[in-house]
Amino acid sequence: MKPDLSVEYCGVSFKNPVIVASASPTKDAEYMKRCCQAGAGGLISKTFSPEPLTQKYVSPRFTVLHKKGWPHCFSNYSCEFLATFDTEDWFSEMESAKKVCDEYDTVLVGSISGVSLQNWAELARRMEDIGCPMIELNFGCPHPRDLGYKSGQVLGNDPIAAAEVTKAVVDACSIPVFVKLTGEAVNIVDVAGKCKESGASGFTVINRYSALEVDIETGRPILHSTFSGVGGPWMRPITLKWIAKIAQAHGLPISATNGIFTPEDMIKMFMVGATTAQVCSSLLYGKHQFDQIKLFLDGIEKWMVDHNYRNIDEFRGITLPQIIKWDSLDRDNQAISKVSEDKCIGCGLCPNWCFYDAISIIETPNGRKASINEDRCVGCGLCPSLCPQNAIHMEGPVPIFLGDFS
């Protein structure tokens, strides 16, 4: 049976959980149409602010760190700002996008960033007036700063200010309002809690980090010579952590973002409690642009069929009850590493990873091979994790979970 990919997030129905995040792929009505045509369940418009400095971009604004790891593990380092339209032109784009989204049964979410409490409320009302069924408040953008008022991550870092803005927007409209949180906050769980008290219906977890990279020849900050935003596939474990913590603490719906580059990444987000998953880097930095959306959907569907899941709710949150407290960890059962001689090529790397002198390279009738002294091995996991030939595995009295190394 074909699995059901539909989900309900903050009371709004989505035909599938793949959401295009607020970024270049939703920069105007034409590109939002492409999101719809690609099969996205929803899209979040480029964040709009009437602040002129957020509307004019620098050039260049995208680059890649750790390029040798692309496309598997790299950093997208960029300084793209907010929507490039003035207020009236942007809402005209949104009206056009809403018609297309309705045609394709794609949920259009309005994303806003106000310059005052009154402006936040006004923008929210206008998003509701054009028919957006929900609004995302951008408390996570790493760029707006030095403006004389709190915006983006600066706002998301302040639980009280974030709560005030949330309340202003919730009071101004009747549709669900969810908050895009920043990883820069001292305690994201606390910020989420304050926003929940002010009426937030859910959260987007989490935005990119503010970062700095420099040119090695001159010491000048790269791109536009100031702090920029950084994210990428490496962020998945961090995003999973915060989704799990916020899900456990507050119980509100969560939309995952950052660190999602494969269908497997997305499935893990659902396992820790997310309902939808927002994609951006996989479209901007991947190989398929908008066609990546279908690859996500096909991958999720295949995995669900293989694991006999009929819908996403059947496995959403299954990780949460399996997270145990640190003081309850299993400190008694010990595994040890063993060599699969048929795979080992005697490369000699593994002794460098052993800090218990348990590994040596010996001559055998089949050539040089790694040998592990089981009396010295403490089962730390380094050698099986790093072996380039996957020639070392672990055995023990209880199941072992080293990950899939992808």
Side-chain angles (χ1 to χ4, degrees):
M1 176 186 289
K2 187 179 179 68
D4 178 9
L5 297 185
S6 65
V7 295
E8 184 177 288
Y9 176 67
C10 297
V12 177
S13 297
F14 290 73
K15 64 184 178 184
N16 66 64
V18 180
I19 313 300
V20 181
S22 174
S24 287
T26 62
K27 66 187 179 70
D28 57 29
E30 172 56 33
Y31 270 77
M32 286 189 264
K33 179 179 180 179
R34 297 184 192 186
C35 298
C36 296
Q37 293 172 330
L43 63 90
I44 302 177
S45 66
K46 197 84 168 75
T47 301
F48 176 77
S49 170
E51 170 59 57
L53 290 176
T54 66
Q55 298 171 5
K56 188 172 183 179
Y57 292 174
V58 296
S59 178
R61 63 182 185 273
F62 293 110
T63 191
V64 174
L65 310 182
H66 320 112
K67 187 173 181 179
K68 290 182 179 179
W70 181 90
H72 304 294
C73 193
F74 64 96
S75 295
N76 59 314
Y77 187 85
S78 64
C79 53
E80 179 166 284
F81 307 145
L82 307 184
T84 57
F85 297 80
D86 63 27
T87 302
E88 296 310 315
D89 287 343
W90 179 244
F91 279 97
S92 177
E93 290 291 310
M94 289 294 293
E95 288 174 354
S96 298
K98 183 64 171 66
K99 293 176 182 177
V100 174
C101 286
D102 289 346
E103 178 184 347
Y104 284 88
D105 189 25
T106 302
V107 177
L108 174 61
V109 181
S111 177
I112 58 175
S113 179
V115 297
S116 67
L117 286 177
Q118 181 182 355
N119 184 239
W120 278 98
E122 291 171 350
L123 294 175
R125 281 192 290 266
R126 292 200 65 172
M127 287 295 181
E128 182 175 21
D129 288 345
I130 66 171
C132 288
M134 58 201 319
I135 295 172
E136 181 182 82
L137 308 185
N138 191 341
F139 293 174
C141 184
H143 307 302
R145 64 177 74 87
D146 308 321
L147 294 172
Y149 60 89
K150 293 180 178 180
S151 181
Q153 284 186 345
V154 179
L155 175 59
N157 266 315
D158 186 332
I160 302 303
E164 289 177 347
V165 170
T166 301
K167 186 176 188 309
V169 174
V170 169
D171 289 348
C173 59
S174 60
I175 56 179
V177 174
F178 61 102
V179 174
K180 190 170 190 177
L181 299 169
T182 172
E184 297 278 306
V186 174
N187 190 328
I188 307 173
V189 178
D190 288 348
V191 176
K194 292 296 184 183
C195 293
K196 177 183 178 181
E197 291 173 5
S198 294
S201 297
F203 307 104
T204 296
V205 183
I206 56 175
N207 211 322
R208 295 183 301 148
Y209 289 89
S210 179
L212 185 69
E213 182 59 282
V214 301
D215 177 73
I216 193 66
E217 299 299 326
T218 65
R220 178 194 182 278
I222 64 173
L223 296 180
H224 56 333
S225 195
T226 188
F227 302 99
S228 207
V230 68
W234 58 269
M235 275 193 67
R236 182 187 67 211
I238 301 171
T239 301
L240 290 172
K241 176 192 77 170
W242 285 120
I243 292 173
K245 283 181 172 290
I246 292 170
Q248 289 176 322
H250 301 305
L252 291 184
I254 293 172
S255 185
T257 191
N258 265 310
I260 302 171
F261 219 73
T262 67
E264 291 77 17
D265 296 335
M266 196 170 283
I267 290 164
K268 291 177 182 181
M269 300 293 168
F270 302 145
M271 285 181 164
V272 298
T275 299
T276 63
Q278 299 181 24
V279 294
C280 172
S281 294
S282 58
L283 308 186
L284 288 173
Y285 291 84
K287 298 180 179 180
H288 308 286
Q289 205 182 72
F290 288 107
D291 289 341
Q292 180 64 43
I293 293 172
K294 185 176 187 302
L295 296 178
F296 277 121
L297 293 171
D298 289 347
I300 294 169
E301 185 173 290
K302 181 181 184 303
W303 182 89
M304 290 175 65
V305 169
D306 291 345
H307 292 77
N308 298 312
Y309 286 116
R310 295 167 296 177
N311 57 66
I312 291 173
D313 280 342
E314 288 186 345
F315 65 92
R316 186 170 63 83
I318 64 170
T319 300
L320 300 180
Q322 301 184 70
I323 299 174
I324 62 177
K325 293 182 178 181
W326 183 79
D327 60 359
S328 301
L329 299 179
D330 180 359
R331 291 172 168 84
D332 298 320
N333 291 300
Q334 181 177 309
I336 59 172
S337 292
K338 291 181 175 289
V339 177
S340 299
E341 289 193 8
D342 58 326
K343 295 181 180 179
C344 179
I345 61 173
C347 67
L349 288 173
C350 50
N352 298 309
W353 303 321
C354 185
F355 288 82
Y356 295 88
D357 300 318
I359 307 178
S360 58
I361 303 299
I362 63 173
E363 292 292 340
T364 75
N366 296 315
R368 284 165 48 90
K369 302 289 181 181
S371 176
I372 297 176
N373 183 330
E374 295 183 4
D375 292 331
R376 288 177 175 265
C377 178
V378 299
C380 73
L382 269 180
C383 59
S385 298
L386 291 168
C387 178
Q389 301 298 315
N390 294 320
I392 304 177
H393 64 280
M394 298 192 75
E395 295 180 3
V398 295
I400 296 163
F401 298 90
L402 282 178
D404 54 17
F405 304 122
S406 62

